[in-house]
Amino acid sequence: MDKIKLPKLKKIDSSKPKRKKPKILLMSDDLRMPSGIGVMSREFVLGTMDKYDQSQLAAAVKHPDHGKIADASEDAAKQTGVDDAYLKIYPFSGYGNEQVLNEILQIEKPDAILHFTDPRYWTWLYELEHEVRQNIPIMYYNIWDDVPYPHWNESYYESCDLLMNISRQTQNIVKNVLRKFPKENWAVQWVPHGVNENQFYKIDELHSEWPDFQQFQKGFAGGNDFDFIVFWNNRNIRRKQPGDVILSYKTFCDQLTPEQAKRTCLLMHTQPVDGNGTDLYAVKDAICPNYNVMFSTERLDTRHLNYLYNIADVTLNIASNEGFGISWCESLHTGTPIINNVTGGLQDGCRFENDNGEWIVFDTEFSSNHTGRYTKHAQWAKPVFPTNRSLQGSPQTPYIFDDRADFTDVASAIKYWYDMSKEEREECGLAGREWVLGDESKMSSKNMSSKMAECIDACLQSWKPRKRFSLYKVNQAEKIENAGIVVE
């Protein structure tokens, strides 16, 4: 009979006993993927690895690893320096279902569920919320783009024990939607997106990457010597207004001499043809044939994306709906100033001041600054106020304002930065970098993770399990007196 081969014994380091950490089950886009949700998921998962064991139901439209389980603990330990890092990933095609959730709950036995992205992707979870919340809390990293207050989201918000909101406007929206059944202060918190300060930073002549950056810059320019570059980093989808971006740039160039226009460039990091957007090649050929519009179409790692922000003189985002708009925050981390449409989370990047010199706060009577109540803003931003507001909607999301900026106003904003000297632009951009890294904005990855951990700890300590049955007194529906619509 063959001898039984015993596994090699490993010496246990008794000086480092395994810590008992709470375990969080994240439900969002796969944190290994480059979507905005995936990138932010990775940042706060790794940023809180020292405090929590982590697992993820990792969603994708057609996940290539569907049905497999990935143990990413070793990689997480290398990236974070946390020796006892724990990260298990459960890839899934789509956004999960009751069966896969029950399987993961049995395997992982998490202390809380955290989900991230539109709740309509997780309706099956909300159908189970009463059962789930008898045992563990449900936490939501929440976003909503604009007013009027989405009262049809009320049932989603009520079904969460903790709501962490990525923009100051979203924070106000949630509080107003929950006016009939308000939550405690710890349960509704502002936790802005944070950019990894070790991946997005300014590169100058003294930086170790300067030679590589110069080589990249020469390859990008293709022999052209540009004096001024406008950068746009977004998906080619309708609400991002990519056609208006090209039209705005063309209108800006029309104000220059032919020689000046030759030395300017619009750089669009996107897929030029997308069924959810348009054919940007055709737009360029028809609308802007005589000026420089370049497309960056390859998927870039963060190092080379950081190079593009450093190459740019200004970063532009004129989306008509935008919950946050991560490109402006990445841009400020690199010391590059911004042009933002005044809508949703893009307002945060402008840091509008009230009459007392304080960063504006939204409330029931003042739900958005898109009407231009306050115009004084930070030096690193040139805001563009929308000139057209239309009420859009769908059966699932019946109403939301669509805030459109006029392309001539956007062209004037580009000219504003063009007319500055490079030294003045750099001074403004560096002020923006200092702000996003600071305590007021809390928009670094480190600050985001710290604030999120603070909120999660408060939830784990304060939440109360749901009873098996709940009885409610039914009254006639209350009239909604203020839907967040501001007319000035």
Side-chain angles (χ1 to χ4, degrees):
M1 185 174 73
D2 293 338
K3 292 182 179 179
I4 297 175
K5 294 182 179 180
L6 297 175
K8 292 183 179 180
L9 299 179
K10 294 182 180 180
K11 184 178 179 180
I12 297 175
D13 186 355
S14 59
S15 65
K16 293 183 178 180
K18 180 172 174 57
R19 294 181 295 162
K20 174 60 177 174
K21 296 185 288 184
K23 182 180 287 185
I24 307 300
L25 170 59
L26 172 65
M27 299 168 63
S28 69
D29 291 5
D30 193 317
L31 57 81
R32 299 167 296 177
M33 293 186 173
S35 71
I37 300 293
V39 169
M40 285 295 107
S41 296
R42 179 169 63 252
E43 289 302 323
F44 61 69
V45 164
L46 295 179
T48 58
M49 190 61 66
D50 184 53
K51 294 185 65 69
Y52 312 112
D53 288 339
Q54 311 264 8
S55 56
Q56 186 191 25
L57 196 168
V61 176
K62 293 182 180 179
H63 207 300
D65 296 328
H66 176 83
K68 300 177 182 178
I69 302 176
D71 188 342
S73 302
E74 187 175 341
D75 287 341
K78 289 179 181 178
Q79 291 188 53
T80 63
V82 177
D83 293 337
D84 61 348
Y86 180 95
L87 176 57
K88 289 283 185 66
I89 299 175
Y90 295 80
F92 195 85
S93 292
Y95 286 90
N97 54 43
E98 180 179 358
Q99 180 182 351
V100 72
L101 174 63
N102 286 332
E103 290 175 357
I104 296 174
L105 290 177
Q106 289 179 21
I107 296 170
E108 296 294 336
K109 296 179 172 57
D111 296 284
I113 289 174
L114 168 61
H115 73 101
F116 177 26
T117 198
D118 194 317
R120 271 149 288 277
Y121 294 139
W122 306 97
T123 52
W124 62 267
L125 173 64
Y126 285 98
E127 292 169 357
L128 301 171
E129 61 86 15
H130 198 110
E131 177 183 347
V132 171
R133 294 168 68 204
Q134 292 174 35
N135 301 299
I136 58 175
I138 294 177
M139 305 179 294
Y140 179 24
Y141 194 30
N142 176 42
I143 178 174
W144 193 251
D145 294 6
D146 209 345
V147 290
Y149 295 128
H151 289 277
W152 29 269
N153 275 344
E154 183 176 5
S155 60
Y156 295 120
Y157 297 161
E158 288 180 2
S159 298
C160 295
D161 298 283
L162 171 65
L163 289 148
M164 296 177 285
N165 305 297
I166 72 171
S167 78
R168 293 161 74 85
Q169 187 177 43
T170 300
Q171 172 81 351
N172 176 58
I173 284 172
V174 169
K175 286 186 174 182
N176 276 277
V177 170
L178 291 175
R179 270 184 289 165
K180 288 190 293 184
F181 301 101
K183 292 182 179 290
E184 297 181 56
N185 287 337
W186 64 262
V188 182
Q189 290 287 316
W190 173 55
V191 184
H193 276 342
V195 169
N196 192 319
E197 56 270 36
N198 296 316
Q199 295 178 342
F200 293 93
Y201 45 83
K202 185 169 180 60
I203 302 172
D204 56 25
E205 294 88 341
L206 301 178
H207 200 282
S208 60
E209 289 188 59
W210 181 250
D212 291 339
F213 170 65
Q214 281 191 306
Q215 192 66 31
F216 179 88
Q217 191 172 18
K218 289 178 182 177
F220 149 77
N224 294 298
D225 187 15
F226 296 122
D227 292 331
F228 185 77
I229 297 173
V230 180
F231 186 40
W232 186 80
N233 177 23
N234 282 290
R235 279 191 64 199
N236 175 8
I237 56 177
R238 292 178 183 88
R239 70 178 177 86
K240 302 287 187 176
Q241 310 303 323
D244 279 353
V245 170
I246 294 177
L247 181 57
S248 300
Y249 175 71
K250 185 263 183 190
T251 305
F252 154 70
C253 287
D254 285 345
Q255 302 173 54
L256 307 180
T257 67
E259 184 57 34
Q260 288 174 323
K262 281 183 182 179
R263 298 175 68 84
T264 69
C265 175
L266 170 62
L267 172 60
M268 305 184 78
H269 181 57
T270 192
Q271 289 300 315
V273 181
D274 193 309
N276 295 301
T278 187
D279 182 341
L280 294 178
Y281 291 128
V283 175
K284 193 271 180 198
D285 289 344
I287 303 299
C288 192
N290 300 319
Y291 302 127
N292 299 309
V293 178
M294 300 180 67
F295 297 101
S296 167
T297 61
E298 299 298 321
R299 183 173 291 175
L300 298 177
D301 57 26
T302 52
R303 181 186 179 209
H304 291 103
L305 184 56
N306 184 51
Y307 285 179
L308 290 186
Y309 282 114
N310 274 271
I311 286 171
D313 291 279
V314 63
T315 299
L316 174 69
N317 191 330
I318 57 168
S320 58
N321 287 131
E322 192 70 90
F324 188 83
I326 197 66
S327 65
W328 68 259
C329 196
E330 291 174 342
S331 182
L332 291 182
H333 271 76
T334 68
T336 300
I338 58 175
I339 297 170
N340 279 3
N341 185 22
V342 183
T343 187
L346 294 179
Q347 300 174 84
D348 288 359
C350 300
R351 199 197 175 279
F352 289 103
E353 293 184 5
N354 63 21
D355 296 334
N356 297 320
E358 302 163 331
W359 192 8
I360 60 172
V361 176
F362 300 111
D363 57 28
T364 302
E365 302 303 324
F366 174 55
S367 56
S368 175
N369 195 41
H370 59 190
T371 58
R373 176 187 292 188
Y374 299 106
T375 58
K376 188 175 181 181
H377 55 84
Q379 67 186 100
W380 55 79
K382 181 61 176 173
V384 180
F385 290 93
T387 57
N388 178 278
R389 298 164 61 200
S390 64
L391 198 66
Q392 303 295 318
S394 68
Q396 282 193 314
T397 56
Y399 52 81
I400 187 171
F401 271 132
D402 193 54
D403 297 329
R404 296 291 185 96
D406 189 307
F407 67 89
T408 60
D409 291 340
V410 180
S412 296
I414 298 173
K415 186 69 160 50
Y416 169 85
W417 289 113
Y418 177 83
D419 288 339
M420 275 193 190
S421 68
K422 197 166 188 68
E423 291 74 23
E424 289 174 315
R425 286 196 299 269
E426 184 171 307
E427 181 182 342
C428 292
L430 289 176
R433 173 171 167 75
E434 183 178 349
W435 180 71
V436 291
L437 291 173
D439 290 336
E440 183 183 63
S441 77
K442 300 186 184 301
M443 290 177 187
S444 69
S445 176
K446 181 178 179 181
N447 279 328
M448 172 182 66
S449 299
S450 176
K451 179 62 176 178
M452 183 171 285
E454 178 186 317
C455 294
I456 291 173
D457 287 348
C459 180
L460 293 176
Q461 293 168 12
S462 303
W463 84 284
K464 296 177 182 178
R466 293 287 296 269
K467 296 179 181 179
R468 258 187 103 180
F469 301 99
S470 299
L471 298 177
Y472 296 96
K473 183 178 180 180
V474 178
N475 295 319
Q476 185 178 1
E478 296 180 20
K479 179 182 178 183
I480 299 171
E481 296 181 354
N482 188 324
I485 301 174
V486 180
V487 180
E488 295 187 356

